[in-house]
Amino acid sequence: AQSVTQPDIHITVSEGASLELRCNYSYGATPYLFWYVQSPGQGLQLLLKYFSGDTLVQGIKGFEAEFKRSQSSFNLRKPSVHWSDAAEYFCAVGANTDKLIFGTGTRLQVFP
Amino acid sequence: EPEVTQTPSHQVTQMGQEVILRCVPISNHLYFYWYRQILGQKVEFLVSFYNNEISEKSEIFDDQFSVERPDGSNFTLKIRSTKLEDSAMYFCASSEERTPTEAFFGQGTRLTVV
């Protein structure tokens, strides 16, 4: 069965620092991978997705993620965090069904 | 930018009451979904809907739940007799194509059953 693990429940960084949010998945074949962000009072917004091809994918708001098959990981990165990046981040995996499997989320706090 | 809209943003209901959560998907989308997130837990898939019928449902989506697209714009989730454990954030989503392509999510409805 597919599953997604986000090991970090809560991360705090200083504004301008780099960021890496971890995501590990379990799936037998090549999955479809997503990162969503949820700001307070907002819905889930797609940051980026990986289906195939180049394993380094670029997303919105300066985020990128790298698919590493050998590590079953799809970590989200940003070189310099802005205060407006404070939000909850969800990794999700999809396969050949209608449903997305989400991780438990990582709450990012940014200090000035 | 087109968006998925959910109403109400917060609903409080008594146990045993029926609730209807409403969603307006993006207008040219054909696939519709409901997810829920119990506080502190994962976002979980409930059901997908296409061509006026359920495409896929999870084990959570039992006989107490139903979905409907009553007109060309709304997509609703009905819980017939709410239980305390139905308290959660419910997210509606829609997509042009069947997932796992990009799905657009609404801001959610927080349901509190007392």
Side-chain angles (χ1 to χ4, degrees):
Chain A
Q2 304 147 47
S3 66
V4 177
T5 302
Q6 292 181 249
D8 304 305
I9 297 172
H10 188 193
I11 283 183
T12 302
V13 299
S14 298
E15 192 170 18
S18 64
L19 173 70
E20 182 168 28
L21 302 183
R22 296 182 291 166
C23 172
N24 294 96
Y25 67 90
S26 173
Y27 181 59
T30 300
Y32 299 87
L33 295 162
F34 305 82
W35 274 100
Y36 281 86
V37 61
Q38 185 182 28
S39 299
Q42 303 297 312
L44 297 167
Q45 182 185 22
L46 181 68
L47 285 175
L48 46 76
K49 59 184 184 281
Y50 172 79
F51 288 174
S52 64
D54 193 345
T55 56
L56 183 64
V57 293
Q58 303 296 320
I60 63 171
K61 306 184 180 187
F63 285 92
E64 66 177 28
E66 186 170 12
F67 169 58
K68 291 186 178 180
R69 184 190 303 275
S70 61
Q71 298 176 19
S72 297
S73 69
F74 189 57
N75 293 348
L76 182 71
R77 300 193 295 247
K78 186 168 185 178
S80 178
V81 171
H82 189 262
W83 64 266
S84 60
D85 293 324
E88 184 126 25
Y89 291 80
F90 294 94
C91 182
V93 63
N96 291 320
T97 72
D98 289 350
K99 65 183 176 183
L100 298 177
I101 306 294
F102 284 84
T104 49
T106 298
R107 180 164 296 279
L108 174 66
Q109 195 169 5
V110 180
F111 279 112
Chain B
E1 183 178 325
E3 59 181 15
V4 176
T5 306
Q6 291 185 241
T7 55
S9 56
H10 190 188
Q11 180 154 1
V12 181
T13 188
Q14 288 198 323
M15 191 169 53
Q17 294 297 303
E18 174 182 287
V19 295
I20 297 176
L21 308 183
R22 303 180 191 281
C23 169
V24 179
I26 294 172
S27 61
N28 64 330
H29 285 185
L30 301 176
Y31 296 84
F32 314 109
Y33 314 87
W34 284 101
Y35 286 77
R36 79 173 186 189
Q37 183 183 30
I38 295 172
L39 189 62
Q41 299 185 24
K42 297 184 179 187
V43 176
E44 302 171 291
F45 170 82
L46 291 178
V47 67
S48 58
F49 191 85
Y50 169 70
N51 201 25
N52 280 321
E53 60 182 26
I54 290 174
S55 175
E56 185 176 341
K57 61 182 181 179
S58 71
E59 60 275 9
I60 302 168
F61 194 87
D62 61 21
D63 293 343
Q64 292 298 311
F65 292 89
S66 63
V67 289
E68 191 178 34
R69 189 157 161 81
D71 52 43
S73 60
N74 290 286
F75 178 51
T76 62
L77 174 70
K78 181 193 291 186
I79 309 175
R80 287 192 183 83
S81 178
T82 50
K83 308 183 189 69
L84 294 176
E85 54 266 35
D86 294 327
S87 295
M89 179 74 87
Y90 288 80
F91 293 105
C92 173
S94 68
S95 61
E96 274 188 270
E97 301 170 358
R98 186 184 177 210
T99 52
T101 188
E102 179 174 356
F104 292 80
F105 284 78
Q107 80 280 16
T109 293
R110 180 164 296 284
L111 176 66
T112 303
V113 182
V114 296

